[in-house]
Amino acid sequence: ICACNCLSDIYAMGGVPRTALSVLAFPSETCDKEIMYLMLKGAMDVLKQASCTLIGGHSIKDEEIKLGFAITGTIDAGKVITLETAKIGDMLVLTKSLGVGVLNFANQIGRAHKKGLEDAEHSMMTLNKDAAIAMIKVGVSACTDITGFGLFGHLGRMMRHSGTAARIYADTLPVFEGVIEFLREGVIPGAIERNAEFIADDLIIADGVGEEYKNLGFCAETSGGLLMAVPKERHGILIAELKSRGITPSIIGEVIEGEDMSIKLEVSK
């Protein structure tokens, strides 16, 4: 999961991962070293899938386990996909479901949702490689990956840098099983509150949209999907291309005119 998450930034720009450096902290005097071996083996398996070579790294003793990777990739300078080039009229397509943070938190407090958590773990362990290949083939206006700042945090950055606004349809947001129910019951991770402080002033919620969908958009994701802004005339081609690669994409809204860089959360008509 960690390796997938670290590789995602390269894929979001349409790049190809080439090399990785590991950053590892491990309490070797109190934890079984087999754990460290399994962590690195899992990461190596993922890096192999990405055709990315681990060329070294750094490790230290620490009281807490920490793992990360610094990834270097390559890209044609004329074909870089950035987050600041979304265009008015673009459709917004998301390639993975939302709610990882809620499911993990529910698990930590003894309220695990078995099916939802299994699906989320499979999603987190899935590279965004095929999604990136599809968007490069079809051609998109802009892209960002959805991770710690949640859907609204990353979308807000895209809108701010593009000088546009977004209309998101709450009832089209893809979500893991159990997440909406947890949110309705008040299972709210702290990251949702922190992300809300970051972007809340830019969010406009229409009448009829439940509080749970606002919180869903603020949920911190780990190894989340790619959020693509694609011209309307090509969005059908993109959807077909993603589906042909085993990805279930969702059209969650559109880019609209608006100098306030706002996100309008509505219900589809």
Side-chain angles (χ1 to χ4, degrees):
I1 290 172
C2 173
C4 284
N5 190 70
C6 293
L7 287 160
S8 192
D9 285 320
I10 301 293
Y11 290 130
M13 296 186 70
V16 178
R18 298 297 186 187
T19 65
L21 288 171
S22 65
V23 181
L24 171 67
F26 194 82
S28 56
E29 295 176 353
T30 57
C31 266
D32 186 347
K33 295 180 179 63
E34 179 76 1
I35 296 171
M36 180 168 62
Y37 164 76
L38 292 172
M39 289 166 56
L40 291 172
K41 182 182 183 302
M44 291 291 288
D45 290 345
V46 169
L47 292 171
K48 184 177 180 180
Q49 291 176 36
S51 299
C52 182
T53 303
L54 182 65
I55 58 173
H58 304 278
S59 59
I60 61 170
K61 288 184 180 180
D62 194 26
E63 293 181 359
E64 293 183 348
I65 295 175
K66 301 179 179 72
L67 180 66
F69 295 90
I71 310 292
T72 299
T74 57
I75 192 169
D76 185 325
K79 297 181 180 179
V80 178
I81 300 172
T82 66
L83 60 77
E84 63 258 24
T85 47
K87 304 289 193 303
I88 294 169
D90 283 349
M91 307 300 290
L92 293 168
V93 176
L94 183 60
T95 64
K96 288 185 181 182
S97 294
L98 302 167
V100 166
V102 173
L103 289 167
N104 280 331
F105 180 62
N107 186 43
Q108 290 170 10
I109 62 174
R111 297 184 60 182
H113 188 291
K114 187 174 185 295
K115 177 63 164 59
L117 199 57
E118 286 177 352
D119 289 346
E121 288 173 350
H122 181 267
S123 175
M124 287 187 284
M125 291 188 290
T126 300
L127 286 169
N128 282 321
K129 178 180 179 179
D130 286 337
I133 292 172
M135 78 171 180
I136 294 166
K137 181 177 179 180
V138 174
V140 302
S141 302
C143 180
T144 184
D145 60 328
I146 305 301
T147 50
F149 291 119
L151 172 65
F152 293 156
H154 293 283
L155 174 61
R157 289 188 63 225
M158 180 185 282
M159 297 302 96
R160 188 173 297 111
H161 289 288
S162 299
T164 57
R167 180 181 291 115
I168 299 297
Y169 298 112
D171 51 323
T172 67
L173 294 176
V175 59
F176 292 111
E177 189 174 317
V179 171
I180 295 299
E181 290 75 13
F182 279 137
L183 289 172
R184 285 173 177 162
E185 294 168 6
V187 180
I188 310 293
I192 286 181
E193 298 175 356
R194 292 189 292 273
N195 283 339
E197 292 175 1
F198 172 68
I199 197 73
D201 290 344
D202 296 330
L203 184 65
I204 301 170
I205 304 174
D207 293 340
V209 176
E211 182 82 1
E212 63 272 23
Y213 289 100
K214 181 194 79 171
N215 287 326
L216 176 65
F218 290 131
C219 178
E221 306 295 331
T222 299
S223 189
L226 298 185
L227 175 65
M228 308 169 189
V230 59
K232 188 173 293 186
E233 64 272 15
R234 290 206 295 275
H235 88 276
I237 302 172
L238 176 64
I239 296 297
E241 187 67 30
L242 289 166
K243 287 182 177 179
S244 74
R245 298 176 183 278
I247 298 164
T248 304
S250 300
I251 302 170
I252 63 168
E254 58 193 322
V255 180
I256 59 176
E257 187 174 2
E259 296 181 359
D260 55 356
M261 288 79 78
S262 63
I263 299 170
K264 297 176 173 61
L265 186 61
E266 304 176 1
V267 176
S268 61
K269 298 177 181 178

